[in-house]
Amino acid sequence: MSAATTAAPPAARGRAPGARAGAVRLVGLAALALYAAVSLYPFLWMVSGAFKDRFEILAGGHLIPVRPTLDTLLQTWSELRFLDYFLNSLRVTGFTVLGVLAVYSLASYAFAVLDFPGRRALFWFFVGLLFVPGITVLLPVVILENRLGILGTHLGLVLPFVNGTAPLTVLMLTNAFRSVPRELHDAARVDGAGEARIFWRVYLPLSRPTMITVAVLVAVPTWNEYVLTRVSLTEESRYTLPLALESLATGNVPQYNEIMAGSLIIVVPVIVLFLALQRYFVSGLAGAVKD
């Protein structure tokens, strides 16, 4: 009896940490589930509203449409002139991503591999720009573009977008290039390869997940950018999708089902892009935070 009594407390003490860990994990999962539900609910309402007519959406009602219809999407597609604005957004986003990858992959290679005076100070200067709010340079950018004669053009959007992504892109790609074994660089040098060939043949292929991750992180906010686009573009023929969506919301009598349909049309390419590249995303982020 006494032996059983003395043996019980160690077993109980052994179970207690495991029970506490399970409880903490359960609370964490519940909190994440609640956060996911709160975040997902507005998106579900947007999808629901895109399949409702104007009478049903004004009546409120249930999340699931009572009389689902494709007429709202088709009418919004026509009013939004989706193809024209889609091509404008695709042009701006595509050239921005290409510019970012071309310019900052070379800069990051220099920071990670080459040795030159002031390298460390210049690198941390780029990283420090992460803490500068983009809105603070909006007016100087507009004034500069006006003087250069590119205000109101797609080039006037691409250049600030490329410049604005410098801090995060340089940080991620520099860490990704640093994670490449130095022995590969030295072996390529022994074989007679120059820096350009080493960069192209060794570092870029090994850092592909991080490059793709950077491309996604640049493409999504560029696709959705509104502030600079609203300030810069004045000709409707050059509008991107966010400005086209605004035109639906600023009518005399806004049709909320059409606004939700337009929002759904705009967000679908972003979702498709992420789903297509998600297998590279996690590994790319993991490679980018290594030092």
Side-chain angles (χ1 to χ4, degrees):
M1 182 67 177
S2 60
T5 303
T6 55
R13 288 195 298 268
R15 288 194 299 269
R20 284 195 298 268
V24 170
R25 182 178 182 184
L26 184 61
V27 171
L29 290 175
L32 289 175
L34 178 62
Y35 176 78
V38 172
S39 302
L40 193 61
Y41 189 70
F43 176 79
L44 294 178
W45 262 110
M46 179 190 71
V47 176
S48 173
F51 294 95
K52 294 179 179 179
D53 58 35
R54 60 176 180 168
F55 301 106
E56 184 177 353
I57 198 168
L58 288 176
H62 302 287
L63 179 64
I64 300 176
V66 177
R67 299 181 301 275
T69 176
L70 290 175
D71 292 342
T72 301
L73 280 169
L74 296 176
Q75 184 177 355
T76 304
W77 180 288
S78 177
E79 291 184 7
L80 196 60
R81 290 169 50 196
F82 180 79
L83 184 59
D84 295 339
Y85 298 129
F86 175 84
L87 292 177
N88 288 340
S89 289
L90 186 63
R91 187 179 300 112
V92 171
T93 303
F95 281 116
T96 298
V97 171
L98 290 177
V100 166
L101 295 180
V103 174
Y104 297 123
S105 61
L106 293 171
S108 300
Y109 177 80
F111 286 132
V113 179
L114 305 182
D115 188 14
F116 57 90
R119 179 184 66 170
R120 186 175 181 84
L122 187 58
F123 171 74
W124 286 112
F125 170 77
F126 272 102
V127 174
L129 293 176
L130 276 171
F131 302 98
V132 178
I135 195 66
T136 60
V137 298
L138 178 61
L139 182 58
V141 166
V142 171
I143 294 175
L144 177 61
E145 290 190 355
N146 187 44
R147 293 182 177 179
L148 293 175
I150 59 174
L151 185 65
T153 67
H154 289 161
L155 179 61
L157 296 177
V158 171
L159 293 180
F161 292 162
V162 171
N163 181 72
T165 59
L168 181 61
T169 302
V170 168
L171 177 63
M172 293 183 64
L173 290 181
T174 299
N175 286 335
F177 290 154
R178 283 175 179 169
S179 66
V180 176
R182 184 71 185 187
E183 291 79 7
L184 296 178
H185 178 275
D186 296 338
R189 292 288 290 177
V190 171
D191 290 339
E195 293 295 344
R197 187 171 183 180
I198 295 174
F199 167 75
W200 185 258
R201 296 291 186 181
V202 177
Y203 281 81
L204 279 186
L206 293 177
S207 303
R208 184 174 61 176
T210 304
M211 297 283 287
I212 294 175
T213 301
V214 167
V216 173
L217 292 177
V218 171
V220 172
T222 302
W223 183 267
N224 297 321
E225 170 61 31
Y226 172 78
V227 177
L228 180 60
T229 307
R230 174 71 279 175
V231 173
S232 177
L233 298 182
T234 56
E235 296 183 17
E236 187 176 352
S237 61
R238 295 177 177 175
Y239 277 6
T240 55
L241 286 172
L243 296 187
L245 181 62
E246 181 198 31
S247 66
L248 289 177
T250 56
N252 295 329
V253 182
Q255 303 294 331
Y256 297 106
N257 59 329
E258 293 182 2
I259 294 174
M260 293 186 182
S263 301
L264 180 61
I265 291 172
I266 291 175
V267 80
V268 163
V270 175
I271 296 175
V272 171
L273 176 67
F274 179 78
L275 292 177
L277 301 177
Q278 64 174 338
R279 65 193 184 100
Y280 298 101
F281 199 77
V282 174
S283 59
L285 287 177
V289 298
K290 291 180 181 179
D291 195 359

